[in-house]
Amino acid sequence: MALNLNRLSKIASGKKSVLNTEGKILDIELDKIKPDPNQPRKQFNDAELSELSASIQEYGLLQPIVVRANSDDTFTIISGERRFRASQLLQAKSIKAIVNTSIAAENISYAQMAENLKRSSLTVVEVADFICERISLGEKQVEIAEKLGLEKALVSKYSAWKEFPEEIQSALAEKKINSIQTAYILYKKWIEHPSEVESLLEGREFISKAEANNFNPQSCSGTTFSTESEDAADILPQEQNE
């Protein structure tokens, strides 16, 4: 089930879009701007940043970043960290920015999630970290599912991320596994047969959902794999991209 970006946009800024284009566009010094440590996106592709910086150098910054003002005369990025990083590569002194005051503090991370999903896919791990962080802050799974436009069952699988053993977490990070559903299937089997699942992960370069389903830790031969492809309707867009 795809993430509901329209729902995210409404949550992020009430009746306005995530990127609030109202107000003046300011030139803010780069050294007064800092990334948000709670930003859901943790990985930035160096090659993509280089391409973006080359585009900014040739055509200029076509869309301002969005920031919020801090009490110490600095600013924290709400959206546009890739543009900010690309401008840093160019050793720019300042960047065009809009100071946004319409997004409620508790919804900033959802606004950032929407921004990242629209512009560059998040990894399964980043989505899992985001959902687990929201749960640690006291949000219910049903609330997160509603805000992201996901089935609660899928959010429940993401919420188990912190309980996964290191081997399954590493397999997701290394993209041996490309969906949270596949990881969850292996996790449930790992609970009773940890060594068998760990051996499977160690010996395979990629494991699809169908293969995880067909894996029988109790069989003498270990497993019978199917050539059936993973159901595209059962994984998120960012998981398909991986």
Side-chain angles (χ1 to χ4, degrees):
M1 179 178 182
L3 291 175
N4 188 332
L5 297 184
N6 289 333
R7 187 189 301 276
L8 278 173
S9 295
K10 291 178 181 178
I11 290 168
S13 57
K15 297 181 180 179
K16 300 176 183 177
S17 63
V18 171
L19 293 178
N20 178 12
T21 56
E22 296 181 357
K24 296 180 179 179
I25 297 176
L26 307 176
D27 273 315
I28 299 179
E29 296 175 14
L30 283 182
D31 59 9
K32 289 188 176 181
I33 299 173
K34 56 187 179 181
D36 188 340
N38 298 317
Q39 157 77 264
R41 183 171 180 81
K42 307 299 181 185
Q43 300 179 20
F44 295 87
N45 184 286
D46 290 339
E48 291 179 359
L49 286 177
S50 295
E51 291 176 4
L52 181 57
S53 65
S55 175
I56 292 173
Q57 186 173 37
E58 183 172 359
Y59 302 109
L61 186 68
L62 300 181
Q63 185 175 28
I65 68 171
V66 181
V67 299
R68 58 183 171 86
N70 302 316
S71 58
D72 59 355
D73 197 33
T74 63
F75 301 86
T76 300
I77 299 171
I78 293 177
S79 67
E81 185 170 343
R82 291 177 70 248
R83 281 163 277 162
F84 170 75
R85 287 173 177 259
S87 297
Q88 284 183 316
L89 290 177
L90 294 174
Q91 298 183 335
K93 299 298 183 183
S94 64
I95 189 171
K96 295 184 185 303
I98 296 170
V99 180
N100 190 299
T101 59
S102 66
I103 301 178
E106 63 272 18
N107 285 326
I108 285 176
S109 61
Y110 280 104
Q112 293 167 335
M113 176 66 83
E115 167 77 3
N116 284 316
L117 288 169
K118 285 179 178 180
R119 298 187 177 279
S120 187
S121 295
L122 295 165
T123 66
V124 179
V125 172
E126 286 171 331
V127 176
D129 279 336
F130 174 81
I131 289 175
C132 288
E133 174 65 17
R134 303 314 300 181
I135 290 173
S136 72
L137 294 174
E139 290 193 39
K140 305 296 184 184
Q141 289 184 23
V142 66
E143 296 172 352
I144 297 170
E146 173 69 16
K147 290 179 179 180
L148 295 179
L150 295 177
E151 295 291 341
K152 182 181 177 297
L154 185 58
V155 172
S156 179
K157 289 180 174 64
Y158 272 111
S159 70
W161 158 249
K162 298 296 185 182
E163 301 170 18
F164 291 172
E166 182 181 350
E167 291 78 7
I168 293 180
Q169 289 186 345
S170 296
L172 269 173
E174 296 166 4
K175 300 180 182 178
K176 278 188 178 183
I177 301 172
N178 74 343
S179 76
I180 197 68
Q181 292 92 335
T182 304
Y184 190 78
I185 291 168
L186 292 174
Y187 166 62
K188 297 300 285 185
K189 295 182 179 184
W190 176 87
I191 292 175
E192 295 184 0
H193 305 280
S195 60
E196 290 84 350
V197 172
E198 289 167 12
S199 295
L200 171 70
L201 291 168
E202 184 178 350
R204 299 278 297 181
E205 292 184 2
F206 178 79
I207 302 171
S208 72
K209 182 181 175 184
E211 291 170 333
N213 268 323
N214 290 338
F215 174 62
N216 182 5
Q218 296 177 311
S219 71
C220 295
S221 60
T223 183
T224 301
F225 287 125
S226 167
T227 57
E228 176 187 357
S229 62
E230 191 153 14
D231 183 2
D234 198 30
I235 58 179
L236 300 178
Q238 67 270 21
E239 294 171 343
Q240 289 177 318
N241 289 341
E242 291 175 13

